Amino acid sequence: MMIGDRDLLLFRQGYYNLLVSLFWKEPAGELLLHLSDGISERIQAARNLHPLLAEGWEEIRRFFTETPPEDLAETAVDEYTRLFIGPYDSTVNPYESFYFTGRMWDRPLADLRTFLKTIGIEKQDGYSEPEDSLAFELEVMRWLIGKQESAAHLEEEKRWLQHQADFLKQHLLVWAPTCAQDIEKAKGAHFYRGVATILHGFLEVERNFFLEWGLDKM
């Protein structure tokens, strides 16, 4: 089902693009304006896919409705900072190692680096975050979908899809849904409560897409 479906590829790529942009760094004002444009249509489309997706978009619409337009960017940035940066201690630690062991820079990071090496990904100089951060793992999926998109033939596309299935099964789907639920429950999460619910719902959609690739045995 996944092979040769250009519309499905673009749909998945679009959601990963969005999620990477929202978790990589503080959301820019231009991105918030883009999200507010046509949000009713986004909610309606999401209802046809998964209830959590629709719920997340509804939460974001509520944030836009309740926050003065001139305060949108500052409010969202402040929320991102409190949840993920500090100043003293972040509310949520969005790292695979933390969710497996309660510590940063632990064995899960080494396992992830081994996987990344097999598919040809290496962290560039200047990026200080460990590769098992939520944003980086979402970026890995976006990169893998890009490789699938540029595949020269169906067998090559199948190979990149298998890498996606392996990465979801061994890494992203094992801990990121729990991380999303923690963000949803975090005190002071409003905009990012909606973002986290979208992430949670989208990962469930991904799980369903890849059932025939072995994710039913997670």
Side-chain angles (χ1 to χ4, degrees), residues 88-189:
Y88 304 109
D89 192 17
S90 58
T91 303
V92 179
N93 291 287
Y95 303 91
E96 184 177 340
S97 288
F98 183 86
Y99 274 84
F100 274 112
T101 70
R103 299 182 298 273
M104 301 286 292
W105 305 89
D106 213 319
R107 177 60 184 269
L109 176 58
D111 293 340
L112 174 62
R113 285 173 171 169
T114 299
F115 181 92
L116 296 179
K117 187 175 181 180
T118 66
I119 61 174
I121 292 181
E122 185 175 349
K123 186 173 75 169
Q124 299 298 308
D125 293 338
Y127 183 72
S128 59
E129 287 285 284
E131 296 92 316
D132 64 344
S133 71
L134 177 60
F136 196 99
E137 292 202 10
L138 292 168
E139 172 65 19
V140 170
M141 282 299 297
R142 178 167 71 169
W143 183 85
L144 287 169
I145 294 172
K147 300 298 285 187
Q148 175 194 350
E149 182 181 23
S150 61
H153 49 76
L154 291 181
E155 283 303 312
E156 184 182 356
E157 182 178 1
K158 182 178 180 180
R159 184 164 66 252
W160 287 112
L161 275 164
Q162 186 62 62
H163 285 317
Q164 293 172 45
D166 292 342
F167 184 71
L168 289 169
K169 185 175 182 177
Q170 297 171 26
H171 296 284
L172 189 61
L173 281 182
V174 182
W175 71 279
T178 305
C179 180
Q181 289 175 304
D182 287 344
I183 298 169
E184 290 176 271
K185 294 181 292 186
K187 183 179 179 180

